Amino acid sequence: MNPDHTMFSVSINPLANHGELSVLFSGEGKPLPLHQTGPAVHDYYLIHTVFAGEGVFTIRGKAYRCSPGDTFVIFPGELFSYVADAERPWHYAWVAFVGRSVGTTLAVLGITPENAVVTGAGRSPRDVRHLYRRLRTSFQQSGYPVLEDMEAGGWLRLLLGKLGQANRQRLMEKPAAESEIERQIGRAIRYLELQYTQPVSIEALAQSLGYHRTYLCKMFKQSTGLAPMQYLFNIRMERAKQLLGTSMTIDQVASSVGFNDALYFSKQFRKWSGMAPSAYRRSGR
C-alpha cells in the first residue's frame, strides 16, 4: 500500500515496446487530502480519470479544478502538478503510455497542452472503469508479454475513443480546416494507397464517397494534378521500383503491384520509366 493513499494498485507492462502506441503502466488510487504530485516533468503521456472527489491539475500555468467524470492529460516534457482536495480528495485511475503517433492522435481528438482536460469522459463510470480495469488485468504475468502488450493497447485505444467522444463539442467548435470534398479526396487518396494491389474501380470508389465519377475525377485532378487512375498508376510504378531492388521475380513484382499479366506490367513500366523492369534492376537505381 502506498502510504499517501487509502487505496493504491498499479500494473506494469512487462514488455518494453516503443512502437505506434504502447501502455507502460496503469493503476487506480485514492490519495489522502492535499496529496500533491509535482511540479515535475514526465517523459511519457499520463492520463487520469476522476471517479469521485475533487482536485486541481495544473499545466502551462493554468489550473483546472477536476471533479467526477473529468480526465486530465499530462504530456511529456510539460511541467505539471496535481493536488487532491482538502475535504473531498479524489479517487481516480490512470494509464501511462508512449508511441510515435500519440501526439498526433491526441491533437486530432482536440487534446493538447492548452486543452488538457476532457470533461464527461467518465460520466458513464461503469464503462470507463471497466476499460481501466481491463488495462490493469492485461498484465497478468502470463508468460506471454507480447500478447499482454497487444491486449492493453486495444483497451487503451477504446479509452482514447471515449475521450474523443466526450470531446466532440470542442472539435465541432474548431473552424473547419478543409472542405468536405477535400476530406473526401483525402479518403480517395488513402484508398488508392492501400488498395493498389487490387483491381480498383473509380466508379465504385466515387459511389462509396457519394459523388458522380465525373465530378470526383475533376476534383481529384484539381487537388492532385492527376486523374485518379493516373495517381493509382504512379503508386503502382513507384512500388514496383522498390520491389525491383529485391530478389523477387518480375512476375512476383507485377502481381504485388496489381498486375495479373507480367508482360503487360513490363510494357507499362517501360513506358513509365523508359526502361524494362529487368534493365532497371540491372541499373541498380
Side-chain angles (χ1 to χ4, degrees), residues 36-222:
Q36 179 166 331
T37 300
V41 171
H42 287 332
D43 59 357
Y44 48 79
Y45 295 87
L46 180 63
I47 65 175
H48 291 68
T49 298
V50 181
F51 297 145
E54 296 181 346
V56 175
F57 168 61
T58 302
I59 187 171
R60 290 199 173 180
K62 184 176 180 180
Y64 302 83
R65 174 159 286 277
C66 299
S67 55
D70 294 340
T71 297
F72 60 90
V73 184
I74 294 166
F75 291 78
E78 294 284 347
L79 188 67
F80 72 89
S81 66
Y82 52 97
V83 58
D85 186 75
E87 300 296 328
R88 299 181 60 247
W90 45 20
H91 168 201
Y92 48 42
W94 62 86
V95 57
F97 51 98
V98 293
R100 293 186 299 269
S101 65
V102 174
T104 301
T105 299
L106 292 179
V108 168
L109 298 179
I111 304 169
T112 65
E114 293 80 18
N115 296 291
V117 173
V118 178
T119 60
R123 299 292 185 217
S124 301
R126 183 175 301 175
D127 293 344
V128 175
R129 285 195 187 191
H130 174 71
L131 293 176
Y132 276 107
R133 189 178 305 113
R134 292 307 300 263
L135 268 167
R136 294 195 301 278
T137 58
S138 295
F139 307 125
Q140 296 291 340
Q141 299 181 348
S142 66
Y144 299 96
V146 173
L147 298 181
E148 294 180 8
D149 177 70
M150 292 175 63
E151 180 180 339
W155 292 116
L156 174 58
R157 282 175 168 81
L158 291 174
L159 180 60
L160 294 178
K162 286 286 186 183
L163 296 183
Q165 291 172 11
N167 224 23
R168 277 183 298 184
Q169 186 60 40
R170 180 183 292 173
L171 296 176
M172 291 171 59
E173 293 170 355
K174 293 174 61 179
E178 55 184 359
S179 67
E180 177 63 21
I181 184 61
E182 287 173 330
R183 284 192 291 273
Q184 297 289 48
I185 294 301
R187 289 180 60 190
I189 289 173
R190 184 66 173 157
Y191 179 88
L192 296 177
E193 290 175 340
L194 294 176
Q195 297 297 314
Y196 68 88
T197 64
Q198 305 298 322
V200 173
S201 165
I202 301 304
E203 181 75 37
L205 176 59
Q207 289 180 0
S208 71
L209 296 175
Y211 295 106
H212 189 276
R213 184 183 191 281
T214 302
Y215 180 71
L216 176 66
C217 290
K218 176 183 176 181
M219 299 307 296
F220 192 100
K221 188 168 185 178
Q222 183 175 306

Side-chain angles (χ1 to χ4, degrees), residues 251-278:
D251 282 3
Q252 290 169 340
V253 171
S255 178
S256 297
V257 297
F259 289 85
N260 293 325
D261 186 334
L263 181 59
Y264 180 69
F265 160 73
S266 296
K267 290 179 179 178
Q268 294 301 310
F269 187 87
R270 183 168 188 167
K271 185 184 299 184
W272 180 75
S273 69
M275 302 176 71
S278 56

